[in-house]
Amino acid sequence: MSDTLVRGSSMDGTIRVFCAITTDLVNKAHEIHQTSRVATAALGRLLTGAAIMGAAGLKSENDSITLQIHGDGQLGQLIAVTDCNSKVRGYVQNPAVQLPLKENGKLDVGGAVGNGSLVVLRDLGLKEPYVGQVPLVTGEIAEDLTVYYAQSEQTPTAMALGVLVSTEDNSVIAAGGYMIQLLPGADEETAVKIEEHLAKVKPITKMIEEGMSAQDIIFEVTDGFSMMLQNEEAFPEYQCKCSKEKMEKALISIGAAELQSLIDEQGEAELCCHFCNNKYMFDKAALEELLKSAK
Ligand code: ZN
């Protein structure tokens, strides 16, 4: 099944829900970054969370949400960026990290992330992005994003994110997530009912592996409420937005003095995009051209 994102809301408008299937997207991230199993799970969950948050919180094409995990675990920093169409890109500092499985047989994402903070930057095209920061609770990503919504946006949220990695070739078998939010007007009883129900549903990766669609999953996790689904689906995808032009701008922004010493000392520059590993070469003539713009 290809990657999709579906949204829905309750008839009375007090509950909204998003579900994303991101198996291909996370597998592409794994291939680009050559991530270990635990790194694939951590980055995959963050990318899936970003895809959902982009659909939930952004409207305009040029806006973006950046999620940064600053943990003291072996993975180092993790970043995921999304636009309003759930086109995401991401990066993990130490993609090769391997840790023993947890006692329950699951990948130890929380252990690999460690303690630290989650920073959420919402860039809505204004002078400064909105910045929210919360301490990591478990490092398992979904819980941490839930706390962000509760503390920074005062929105009660339940989120599940999952990545199932093959033990044979480390490829991604199933990945996805869902987010349920209570909007103003929702009562305490609704919150309790949802919480009790979610405690009983299968893990998200299990549902995807069994072939359930994003629509099926929404009805499953909101069972007991009348839900309406929006007809319009989105298609989450791993997509980098780097370009020669952006790299030129980055080089110009280091300033004339730095550019001059780069020309004198290296004679050329090779820039590599962190998100997709594309390489951009600038020879001496190209750097000298940029130097004119930097002056
Ligand atoms: Zn790139």
Side-chain angles (χ1 to χ4, degrees):
M1 193 181 307
S2 58
D3 290 355
T4 48
L5 185 145
V6 176
R7 55 189 100 199
S9 54
S10 60
M11 297 291 183
D12 64 2
T14 59
I15 307 171
R16 67 171 185 166
V17 55
F18 299 81
C19 179
I21 292 177
T22 55
T23 309
D24 294 345
L25 181 170
V26 176
N27 199 47
K28 185 164 176 191
H30 157 66
E31 284 172 358
I32 289 172
H33 297 291
Q34 292 294 303
T35 41
S36 68
R37 294 179 63 212
V38 73
T40 303
L43 182 60
R45 287 184 198 174
L46 194 65
L47 287 166
T48 303
I52 292 172
M53 289 172 77
L58 296 175
K59 289 198 172 72
S60 157
E61 288 273 328
N62 296 318
D63 296 350
S64 66
I65 292 176
T66 303
L67 306 178
Q68 301 175 345
I69 301 264
H70 303 278
D72 63 3
Q74 290 185 39
L75 287 174
Q77 198 182 51
L78 287 110
I79 294 175
V81 189
T82 183
D83 67 10
C84 67
N85 297 315
S86 303
K87 306 300 179 203
V88 300
R89 57 197 191 276
Y91 162 80
V92 49
Q93 204 175 353
N94 302 313
V97 168
Q98 298 196 31
L99 285 185
L101 296 177
K102 293 196 288 191
E103 272 178 20
N104 62 7
K106 296 205 165 144
L107 293 165
D108 191 5
V109 171
V113 167
N115 295 308
S117 59
L118 160 72
V119 177
V120 179
L121 296 136
R122 285 159 49 88
D123 187 346
L124 307 180
L126 305 168
K127 231 178 189 176
E128 298 285 337
Y130 292 101
V131 185
Q133 182 169 348
V134 291
L136 295 173
V137 228
T138 60
E140 297 278 339
I141 316 285
E143 289 88 343
D144 305 300
L145 292 174
T146 301
V147 168
Y148 163 76
Y149 272 113
Q151 290 189 6
S152 291
E153 303 199 358
Q154 285 82 46
T155 308
T157 301
M159 195 187 268
L161 300 169
V163 176
L164 181 64
V165 184
S166 160
T167 47
E168 280 168 26
D169 61 1
N170 287 356
S171 66
V172 178
I173 298 168
Y178 59 82
M179 177 168 87
I180 304 174
Q181 291 190 314
L182 295 184
L183 302 178
D187 52 23
E188 187 60 27
E189 202 185 321
T190 306
V192 173
K193 205 170 151 192
I194 289 175
E195 205 175 320
E196 284 175 358
H197 178 65
L198 290 182
K200 288 181 284 188
V201 301
K202 290 178 197 167
I204 177 80
T205 45
K206 188 87 194 149
M207 292 192 264
I208 297 169
E209 206 189 359
E210 286 174 1
M212 287 173 75
S213 67
Q215 285 89 343
D216 296 337
I217 294 170
I218 285 186
F219 287 125
E220 176 73 22
V221 298
T222 57
D223 189 30
F225 296 93
S226 314
M227 302 298 291
M228 292 181 300
L229 297 191
Q230 283 186 12
N231 287 331
E232 231 173 280
E233 287 178 36
F235 302 97
E237 204 180 339
Y238 194 101
Q239 198 180 84
C240 198
K241 294 189 193 292
C242 69
S243 64
K244 180 112 187 171
E245 220 180 3
K246 283 186 184 165
M247 292 295 174
E248 285 174 352
K249 275 192 189 147
L251 277 170
I252 292 168
S253 73
I254 67 172
E258 283 288 319
L259 261 178
Q260 186 64 62
S261 63
L262 191 63
I263 293 167
D264 296 341
E265 286 159 27
Q266 319 264 344
E268 60 178 19
E270 186 188 82
L271 267 60
C272 180
C273 173
H274 272 324
F275 293 118
C276 69
N277 291 335
N278 263 355
K279 290 185 172 60
Y280 294 87
M281 276 302 301
F282 294 89
D283 61 15
K284 197 170 181 183
L287 289 176
E288 278 167 347
E289 202 55 41
L290 293 177
L291 183 60
K292 287 182 204 161
S293 312
K295 276 179 178 163

